[in-house]
Amino acid sequence: MKKLQWGMIGGGEGSQIGPAHRLGALADGHFSFTAGALDHRPEAGREYAQRLGIASDRTYGDWKEMLEGERKRDDRIDLVTVATPNATHFEITRAFLEAGFNVLCEKPMTMTVEEGEEIVRVAEATGRICAVNYCYSAYPMVRQARAMVRAGEIGKVRLVVTNFSHGHHGDATDADNPRVRWRYDPAMAGVSGQFADCGIHALHMACFICDDEVESLSADFASTISSRELEDDAMVNFRMSGGTVGRLWTSSVAIGRQHGFDIQVFGETGGFRWASEQPNQLVYTPVGGRTQIIEKGERGLHADAQRLSRVAIAHPEGFPLAVANIYCDLADTIRGEARDGLPGAADGVRSMAAVHTAVASARDGGAWLDARPSIFR
Ligand code: NAI
């Protein structure tokens, strides 16, 4: 099968997410890394791209140069990943979609709901794929959890409780570190700090596993380090369309919690728990029964979980392979076999609507507000 050609914008040397994309995209042989504008410093980006093996005529100084260079080629890239800082996602993603490229955009997809709605419309109008990198949804045992809910194995879901709370910005003496400070500065981060950064992963995960959408929410935001304008801690209560009650805590000052992402889903006939720090296990309890550990790679998993378990049982399968699962599903979709579960522009705009609704709710003393983007009301 012919390899697909892949390009990346951002994700330069020393970036946080760039290596996971490279490992993920290249893990299964679907893609070759063909083009890149990897850094906000043109020369550094070109030089790094060449070191990674990209031919010099496809190492670009910036994304506009890459768009012009690639759109002229007969062998143009099949997919571009946008892994730049948040405020640039909208402009780059829209430009590449309009030029007929498939895009994998990092989260958050945009800064505003209106931008998100525009991306949904442009993706529909052009017929291109716009995926959003909610990569935790591609862990095999998260797929198992979703399949169990769909198969009715825990009955109707009553309650979902999720946390994405770590302690890595909990040191007040480090609050002025430029790599930390921008996240709580509205000029750089937008309307929300921690909820837009980590909380939306947890919210997407709740929707993904429960196969439902957030309808309304009430939020309490706090800047526990007083120099911060944006929240470093948030508690968000929500209700899903199907009536499920949701609770979400996200924090960056929870010292002692490391990655800190977990989810519990409680249905009428059972419940389960998944945690990103033990991603190979789903802890399941049927009502009135014993707690069991369902293990990645074991016999009898649902098909999607089995398909995405790639190394043998008990061998760890970590974050880059979850990202690789996103790229596998993208490769299949580009080749015409659409994959259910690939997070897309609709997920991106729902997240932005939730972020803006949470900000409004927190400012209004925790008022319950409709959290759906207007295009989905
Ligand atoms: P970072 O600051 O570590 O790296 C950003 C990279 O983009 C740098 O190499 C920089 O030179 C480059 N860059 C900046 N502006 C650019 C431009 N205009 N053109 C080309 N390159 C440019 O940032 P990090 O943490 O890697 O985050 C990037 C994005 O990935 C963010 O949107 C973030 O929210 C998202 N992210 C997603 C994660 C996930 O789990 N899905 C995890 C971490 C980050």
Side-chain angles (χ1 to χ4, degrees):
M1 195 182 294
K2 189 174 159 287
K3 276 201 181 199
L4 299 167
Q5 299 202 50
W6 171 63
M8 183 158 69
I9 301 167
E13 190 162 30
S15 67
Q16 189 187 168
I17 199 67
H21 280 287
R22 288 196 306 279
L23 291 166
L26 305 181
D28 295 273
H30 293 303
F31 293 95
S32 59
F33 193 12
T34 323
L38 302 183
D39 203 289
H40 67 285
R41 300 159 302 167
E43 272 323 304
R46 281 199 194 92
E47 190 271 326
Y48 186 50
Q50 286 178 34
R51 255 192 290 141
L52 292 172
I54 297 179
S56 57
D57 65 331
R58 294 178 90 172
T59 61
Y60 299 99
D62 62 48
W63 68 267
K64 288 184 180 161
E65 197 186 304
M66 180 160 154
L67 181 62
E68 286 317 306
E70 289 299 313
R71 79 189 324 164
K72 289 194 298 236
R73 302 183 70 102
D74 295 333
D75 61 346
R76 49 160 50 189
I77 46 174
D78 298 288
L79 173 71
V80 62
T81 293
V82 179
T84 51
N86 304 354
T88 62
H89 293 175
F90 170 64
E91 190 185 18
I92 302 174
T93 297
R94 182 179 60 178
F96 274 83
L97 286 172
E98 282 175 341
F101 292 91
N102 298 308
V103 179
L104 170 60
C105 182
E106 261 307 339
K107 47 58 60 178
M109 183 175 79
T110 57
M111 300 294 277
T112 69
V113 185
E114 293 72 23
E115 289 169 353
E117 291 181 336
E118 189 168 341
I119 295 290
V120 171
R121 280 193 288 270
V122 173
E124 272 172 17
T126 58
R128 298 294 95 188
I129 300 163
C130 180
V132 179
N133 193 32
Y134 286 113
C135 46
Y136 298 99
S137 64
Y139 275 103
M141 298 318 284
V142 172
R143 298 296 177 106
Q144 171 72 12
R146 173 174 155 108
M148 286 174 70
V149 169
R150 284 185 163 185
E153 291 173 37
I154 62 167
K156 183 173 161 43
V157 177
R158 290 175 174 147
L159 177 65
V160 55
V161 181
T162 182
N163 305 296
F164 197 155
S165 297
H166 64 79
H168 301 297
H169 303 155
D171 181 356
T173 63
D174 193 42
D176 266 344
N177 176 340
R179 293 203 68 163
V180 175
R181 193 181 51 216
W182 74 265
R183 295 168 186 276
Y184 306 97
D185 176 356
M188 303 282 282
V191 294
S192 163
Q194 177 63 12
F195 185 60
D197 191 28
C198 293
I200 59 171
H201 271 302
L203 201 67
H204 176 263
M205 178 72 84
C207 297
F208 185 82
I209 291 179
C210 297
D211 212 7
D212 203 350
E213 301 303 339
V214 173
E215 194 166 275
S216 60
L217 63 76
S218 155
D220 178 28
F221 280 15
S223 302
T224 66
I225 292 184
S226 58
S227 60
R228 291 177 176 160
E229 269 190 69
L230 298 176
E231 86 288 353
D232 54 18
D233 186 279
M235 186 66 84
V236 179
N237 284 305
F238 55 94
R239 295 288 184 275
M240 303 183 103
S241 313
T244 301
V245 173
R247 319 266 184 221
L248 184 157
W249 172 46
T250 187
S251 185
S252 65
V253 295
I255 294 169
R257 286 180 67 107
Q258 294 302 326
H259 191 260
F261 185 11
D262 55 50
I263 185 161
Q264 287 177 277
V265 181
F266 304 101
E268 289 171 339
T269 60
F272 50 66
R273 175 178 189 271
W274 179 85
S276 68
E277 291 173 42
Q278 294 87 34
N280 296 339
Q281 285 93 32
L282 187 66
V283 180
Y284 163 61
T285 311
V287 66
R290 287 215 177 99
T291 296
Q292 308 163 25
I293 295 178
I294 307 175
E295 190 82 35
K296 172 199 73 72
E298 73 181 29
R299 280 197 216 130
L301 296 181
H302 282 280
D304 211 26
Q306 205 71 68
R307 178 177 70 87
L308 296 177
S309 301
R310 280 98 53 77
V311 288
I313 187 165
H315 290 291
E317 210 163 303
F319 184 74
L321 280 189
V323 177
N325 288 339
I326 295 281
Y327 280 95
C328 283
D329 282 0
L330 270 165
D332 289 345
T333 306
I334 291 169
R335 290 177 173 136
E337 191 189 345
R339 284 290 180 192
D340 175 45
L342 180 63
D347 299 286
V349 70
R350 284 187 198 279
S351 297
M352 289 327 294
V355 166
H356 284 265
T357 307
V359 170
S361 168
R363 285 186 184 147
D364 194 12
W368 279 91
L369 301 173
D370 191 326
R372 295 167 297 172
S374 52
I375 48 167
F376 294 133
R377 281 186 195 176

